[in-house]
Amino acid sequence: MNILIIEDDDFLARRIKQVFERTVITNRITVLYSYEEFISHIGDISYYDIILTDIWLNCNLNKNGIDIVKTIRKKWIFTPVVMISAYNDISMIQNAFKCWANDYLVKPFRLQELEIRTLRWFNSYFSNLNIQKKEDKTYGELTYSFNKNEFYYKSSLISLTKKQKFLLYLFFSQPDSLLTESYLSGKVWWDIYEEKHRNLRVVILRLKKALKPIWIESWIYNVRWEWYIFRKQ
């Protein structure tokens, strides 16, 4: 899960980031502190799975979190947006939802509640894993343990690097689906601008090599060069 946090309160932003750093399913967390920073990262937005944004931000352009949601939706990007604000005025809440925000949380809030809501939206939009109940998920004889962030084959632990594990999770959570090379690259690497200098195919080959001893490397295969699919053979 890749998370974008837009919050001008540095202390709160760091606290939220710490919460999700403890969530094993998290791959990337980016913190921005203003609308201007958000605009400078607008090309990256589709690579995030969840966006958390405050409504009122320090901004020289008289822009706020509502404008952030509007900008995202105008680009036809439907990544879930959870708004956080000290304002509980009903008109403000209505305005947020009219702009197609997905959720609204009033400050002060419990960080655990924010985590629960965020995982709920991630689960609803991007994953087949039942992560709210944190149950193990099985595909064929391959099992993923959410609590341990580990993969097992026939109850035996599979030794994988962090990047290989996350890449396998991307495949595992979307079996029998065509995934583009650009989608996988953007999800795996911290800075999507660096992905041009990375070789996804090398990482996939290394992942397949790690899966070869248990004879499931053929579950990942290339379709027409730039597409991949994960399917039990």
Side-chain angles (χ1 to χ4, degrees):
M1 176 170 61
N2 296 327
I3 303 173
L4 176 62
I5 302 169
I6 309 171
E7 170 60 65
D8 59 0
D9 184 329
D10 181 60
F11 177 77
L12 179 58
R14 285 188 284 109
R15 288 291 306 279
I16 294 173
K17 183 178 180 181
Q18 288 170 357
V19 168
F20 289 103
E21 283 176 337
R22 296 195 299 266
T23 303
V24 295
I25 203 68
T26 301
N27 175 60
R28 170 172 56 174
I29 304 174
T30 301
V31 177
L32 305 178
Y33 297 95
S34 67
Y35 180 83
E36 292 92 336
E37 283 192 63
F38 161 74
I39 291 299
S40 70
H41 285 76
I42 193 67
D44 305 0
I45 297 302
S46 62
Y47 288 88
Y48 291 95
D49 300 311
I50 298 289
I51 298 170
L52 311 178
T53 181
D54 196 354
I55 286 188
W56 298 115
L57 301 164
N58 291 325
C59 179
N60 297 322
L61 303 175
N62 196 29
K63 298 288 187 178
N64 57 38
I66 299 293
D67 296 294
I68 286 175
V69 180
K70 289 179 179 178
T71 301
I72 293 170
R73 300 309 185 221
K74 282 180 181 178
K75 290 184 171 293
W76 293 94
I77 296 172
F78 296 100
T79 301
V81 178
V82 177
M83 307 209 72
I84 53 179
S85 175
Y87 293 87
N88 61 0
D89 181 79
I90 191 65
S91 62
M92 180 67 74
I93 298 174
Q94 287 176 333
N95 194 19
F97 285 115
K98 283 180 181 178
C99 297
W100 297 101
N102 296 86
D103 209 343
Y104 192 103
L105 197 57
V106 177
K107 299 178 182 177
F109 51 80
R110 292 168 295 180
L111 291 173
Q112 186 177 10
E113 181 181 357
L114 177 63
E115 180 184 20
I116 290 171
R117 292 194 186 204
T118 301
L119 290 176
R120 172 183 174 272
W121 284 111
F122 175 73
N123 189 45
S124 298
Y125 278 78
F126 294 101
S127 178
N128 294 322
L129 297 179
N130 193 351
I131 60 174
Q132 279 190 286
K133 294 183 179 179
K134 299 187 177 181
E135 296 175 346
D136 292 351
K137 180 71 175 181
T138 299
Y139 178 73
E141 294 177 303
L142 184 64
T143 299
Y144 175 75
S145 170
F146 176 88
N147 289 315
K148 297 180 180 179
N149 189 29
E150 298 288 0
F151 282 94
Y152 298 84
Y153 185 73
K154 296 181 178 179
S155 300
S156 296
L157 177 66
I158 305 173
S159 179
L160 300 169
T161 65
K162 181 179 179 180
K163 191 176 275 80
Q164 290 171 350
K165 198 180 298 181
F166 185 70
L167 181 58
L168 181 56
Y169 162 75
L170 292 174
F171 284 122
F172 181 83
S173 62
Q174 303 172 80
D176 305 309
S177 301
L178 284 171
L179 305 177
T180 66
E181 186 172 285
S182 60
Y183 165 81
L184 294 169
S185 295
K187 291 290 186 183
V188 169
W189 280 292
W190 181 271
D191 185 346
I192 68 168
Y193 295 109
E194 288 188 18
E195 71 173 88
K196 297 176 182 178
H197 307 291
R198 310 280 184 150
N199 194 327
L200 177 70
R201 293 168 190 167
V202 170
V203 179
I204 290 178
L205 285 173
R206 289 173 179 168
L207 173 59
K208 295 182 72 170
K209 184 177 180 180
L211 299 176
K212 190 172 183 178
I214 53 178
W215 306 97
I216 65 169
E217 76 279 6
S218 60
W219 291 17
I220 302 172
Y221 61 96
N222 182 250
V223 181
R224 295 181 182 178
W225 193 242
E226 293 186 353
W227 297 77
Y228 290 89
I229 192 167
F230 184 72
R231 177 178 294 164
K232 181 182 177 183
Q233 299 296 303

